[in-house]
Amino acid sequence: MTNTDKDRVVIFDTTLRDGEQSPGATMTHDEKLEIAGLLDEMGVDIIEAGFPIASEGDFRAVSEISKSANNSVICGLARANFKDIDRCWEAVKHAKKPRIHTFIGTSPLHRAIPNLNRDEMADRIHDTVSHARNLCDNVQWSPMDATRTEWDYLCRTVEIAIKAGATTINIPDTVGYTAPVESADLIKRLIETVPGADEVTFATHCHNDLGMATANSLAAVAGGARQIECTINGLGERAGNTALEEVVMAMKVRGDIMPWQTGIDTTKLMHLSRRVSTVSGFQVQPNKAIVGKNAFAHESGIHQDGMLKNAETFEIMRPEDVGLTETNLVMGKHSGRAALRSKLKDLGYELADNQLKDVFVRFKELADRKKEVYDDDLIALVSTGGDEDSQRLQIKSLRVVCGTDGPQQATLVMDIDGQEHTTEATGDGPVDASFNAVKNLFPHNARLQLYQVHAVTEGTDAQATVSVRMEDEGRIVTGQSANTDTVVASAKAYVHALNRLLARREKTGNDTPEVSYKDVS
């Protein structure tokens, strides 16, 4: 192995698998294909595209991503049984570079779930890894909850997986339990102790339950791991995973103590971060490292003075390195379609003519209402403008009466399956009244789990991006919309989620319950 090979860190992105396991972060089929295409274009080495046996939708997404990927290895996840592994291979075999990733929980807590003793589990590891290797020459194996597995047994199972044909051994910190010094030491000791360890790639997969996922991942690389498993924005179960943006920029900024290299195009990180935030329904927190809105914002007088004299005083990286532009305000109501296309291209959006036409109309409407149109406004227009799911429900008009004297009242005109209906409703506030009006016209039992408002830019005329998350009989869907009127954005986000729920029912073959319309027109 050359020095260059030793310094190369492979990026394994699991946004479409582990990231999508966040409650409410489920993506549509088209969204998965779009995100996979952006990851492939950005230079991600391996894309874990999904869990093929989990559902027909997951299988179809992994299959289509496998067929369309140009550069990345396409990986599918499988439990330690032949049925899972066969299904995974059926999905990834179309890829130019396929990989099977199989796993089993090796800690005492996880061994108790299938009620296997050490020897029985060891046999299963040997048999399933061998089976996967007979199908595919690129096999990854993971001992789930490795950081809470007994040292002697962890060494034993890793050795078995290597002898059975695994080419990558991933060491997951499944519950975010370890600390950086332990993470580095664990990888180092495994490489030094396990026979054949020098012939495979060691990987690290860290969760963020104690806020140390990125630190643990980078420490593991210092210990000898050469694959980091991560997600865009750190999306993932519970507190999330190692964030791809953080590990890539940490290596870029601190090359003096982390002299490792990746093939990631850092200028595309911001666009992908925003897009994943939109389709998942999880807004990036303002103070999120690298990609948060405040990552390059300065309010303190001392900081502002220092920035004016030398940007390096309080910034350790350039905004351009993560896709931010120095000049934000360039568009207004007099801007034409060509200028809009060019600006969106700079922001990472290549729109077809029909898409551009739709965005341009809404851009003009926004520019007439706002004095200033910022990059973030344009991104919100693109990200929340179209709905590729069901369009059975559409808001035609909404009028709300609110103030100190309640109850607040909403008058709603909505198109349902091509027919226009009108209703009035009251509620505890204008948003509640609007949601009640929607429910009047389209009765449902979906429960609102999350309602979140995010101001895209500053000022009283700022666009509000509203995200809602709803649950109905185990199905969790999200909806988003942006508008300078927060109440309108809220109602449209609510209807967006209902449309997605209808689309999910149609795809799973469940009949949509009949509804009765309360028409007061």
Side-chain angles (χ1 to χ4, degrees):
M1 182 180 286
T2 66
N3 288 333
T4 302
D5 292 334
K6 290 180 180 178
D7 290 341
R8 180 74 159 81
V9 174
V10 173
I11 298 298
F12 178 112
D13 185 275
T14 183
T15 303
L16 297 175
R17 201 277 301 169
D18 198 326
E20 205 202 11
Q21 289 178 201
S22 299
T26 301
M27 303 177 195
T28 68
H29 180 78
D30 289 340
E31 287 168 348
K32 289 180 182 179
L33 265 59
E34 177 193 357
I35 298 302
L38 293 171
L39 290 168
D40 186 42
E41 179 185 335
M42 193 175 70
V44 165
D45 300 282
I46 303 148
I47 300 171
E48 190 165 52
F51 198 167
I53 205 165
S55 69
E56 285 300 319
D58 238 29
F59 177 85
R60 187 163 64 95
V62 176
S63 296
E64 293 196 25
I65 290 169
S66 296
K67 294 172 184 176
S68 61
N70 294 315
N71 307 303
S72 303
V73 173
I74 303 302
C75 177
L77 186 67
R79 292 166 298 187
N81 65 67
F82 289 0
K83 185 178 179 181
D84 271 40
I85 292 169
D86 289 342
R87 188 64 168 164
C88 181
W89 175 243
E90 284 298 312
V92 302
K93 68 180 182 181
H94 307 288
K96 295 177 182 177
K97 294 179 282 187
R99 174 182 289 192
I100 295 173
H101 177 194
T102 183
F103 73 98
I104 194 168
T106 54
S107 70
L109 286 167
H110 284 266
R111 291 200 301 269
I113 295 173
N115 195 27
L116 296 175
N117 62 38
R118 288 187 174 200
D119 291 338
E120 291 169 336
M121 180 167 284
D123 289 340
R124 180 175 294 188
I125 292 167
H126 173 270
D127 294 344
T128 52
V129 173
S130 297
H131 183 68
R133 183 58 191 265
N134 287 333
L135 297 172
C136 181
D137 61 5
N138 189 339
V139 175
Q140 174 170 318
W141 179 75
S142 296
M144 186 166 63
D145 205 19
T147 56
R148 294 193 296 174
T149 299
E150 306 95 318
W151 169 250
D152 63 332
Y153 191 61
L154 181 61
C155 289
R156 178 184 174 189
T157 57
V158 168
E159 181 179 357
I160 289 170
I162 293 174
K163 288 182 176 178
T167 51
T168 297
I169 301 294
N170 175 47
I171 304 300
D173 184 24
T174 303
V175 292
Y177 178 76
T178 198
V181 65
E182 296 171 319
S183 182
D185 183 61
L186 182 59
I187 297 293
K188 183 174 182 291
R189 290 173 65 202
L190 284 170
I191 294 174
E192 292 173 347
T193 305
V194 177
D198 58 336
E199 299 175 5
V200 301
T201 298
F202 273 81
T204 180
H205 180 121
C206 299
H207 280 260
N208 203 40
D209 296 69
L210 295 177
M212 294 188 285
T214 298
N216 283 329
S217 292
L218 292 169
V221 175
R226 283 300 177 267
Q227 175 179 299
I228 293 180
E229 304 204 354
C230 48
T231 60
I232 298 296
N233 298 338
L235 197 64
E237 295 197 59
R238 304 184 313 279
N241 293 288
T242 300
L244 184 150
E245 302 87 352
E246 293 173 7
V247 298
V248 170
M249 293 308 297
M251 288 187 280
K252 183 180 179 71
V253 172
R254 292 307 310 273
D256 54 339
I257 62 171
M258 291 182 274
W260 311 311
Q261 303 160 10
T262 74
I264 298 294
D265 182 344
T266 59
T267 62
K268 296 180 180 178
L269 280 173
M270 180 65 76
H271 167 55
L272 186 52
S273 166
R274 292 181 185 277
R275 188 61 185 133
V276 169
S277 174
T278 298
V279 301
S280 69
F282 282 72
Q283 294 290 338
V284 176
Q285 65 199 60
N287 61 332
K288 177 73 173 173
I290 316 299
V291 295
K293 183 179 179 182
N294 292 347
F296 295 95
H298 305 271
E299 184 172 339
S300 161
I302 295 175
H303 281 235
Q304 290 175 344
D305 181 64
M307 285 296 298
L308 290 172
K309 293 174 180 175
N310 185 343
E312 293 183 4
T313 306
F314 289 109
E315 287 186 352
I316 60 173
M317 66 192 82
R318 300 181 308 161
E320 308 93 88
D321 290 337
V322 290
L324 290 173
T325 56
E326 293 183 355
T327 304
N328 210 13
L329 177 63
V330 294
M331 300 296 293
K333 65 180 182 180
H334 299 298
S335 300
R337 191 170 305 189
L340 178 62
R341 183 191 292 274
S342 176
K343 180 59 182 174
L344 290 174
K345 185 176 181 180
D346 289 342
L347 294 173
Y349 294 91
E350 296 270 6
L351 301 187
D353 290 342
N354 286 341
Q355 292 175 301
L356 181 67
K357 181 179 179 181
D358 172 64
V359 173
F360 184 70
V361 170
R362 290 184 290 111
F363 160 69
K364 284 292 190 179
E365 292 174 351
L366 176 63
D368 282 337
R369 297 197 303 270
K370 287 199 65 177
K371 294 179 180 179
E372 302 173 336
V373 179
Y374 296 91
D375 289 359
D376 286 348
D377 289 314
L378 299 177
I379 292 169
L381 284 178
V382 176
S383 300
T384 63
D387 182 10
E388 297 172 350
D389 303 311
S390 168
Q391 283 286 344
R392 292 178 59 185
L393 312 177
Q394 296 184 56
I395 291 178
K396 307 302 289 186
S397 70
L398 174 66
R399 182 177 179 84
V400 176
V401 178
C402 61
T404 56
D405 298 326
Q408 284 68 40
Q409 183 175 9
T411 302
L412 173 69
V413 180
M414 191 161 71
D415 189 299
I416 304 176
D417 292 333
Q419 296 186 13
E420 205 168 271
H421 302 272
T422 305
T423 191
E424 293 182 352
T426 59
D428 185 12
V431 173
D432 187 49
S434 301
F435 286 8
N436 288 340
V438 172
K439 199 167 184 178
N440 272 1
L441 293 183
F442 191 78
H444 60 83
N445 295 317
R447 184 171 65 88
L448 184 66
Q449 289 188 328
L450 172 73
Y451 170 75
Q452 187 176 62
V453 180
H454 169 67
V456 175
T457 53
E458 289 74 25
T460 56
D461 62 351
Q463 276 197 109
T465 297
V466 176
S467 299
V468 301
R469 184 163 72 227
M470 302 176 73
E471 184 272 333
D472 180 51
E473 296 181 354
R475 302 181 189 87
I476 298 177
V477 294
T478 59
Q480 299 87 34
S481 185
N483 198 285
T484 52
D485 188 316
T486 304
V487 178
V488 172
S490 300
K492 288 188 173 182
Y494 190 72
V495 169
H496 183 194
L498 288 175
N499 275 323
R500 283 188 158 183
L501 186 60
L502 289 172
R504 189 79 62 80
R505 285 173 175 167
E506 291 166 1
K507 288 176 182 176
T508 56
N510 292 342
D511 293 331
T512 303
E514 292 186 6
V515 295
S516 58
Y517 304 122
K518 180 183 178 183
D519 196 332
V520 296
S521 56

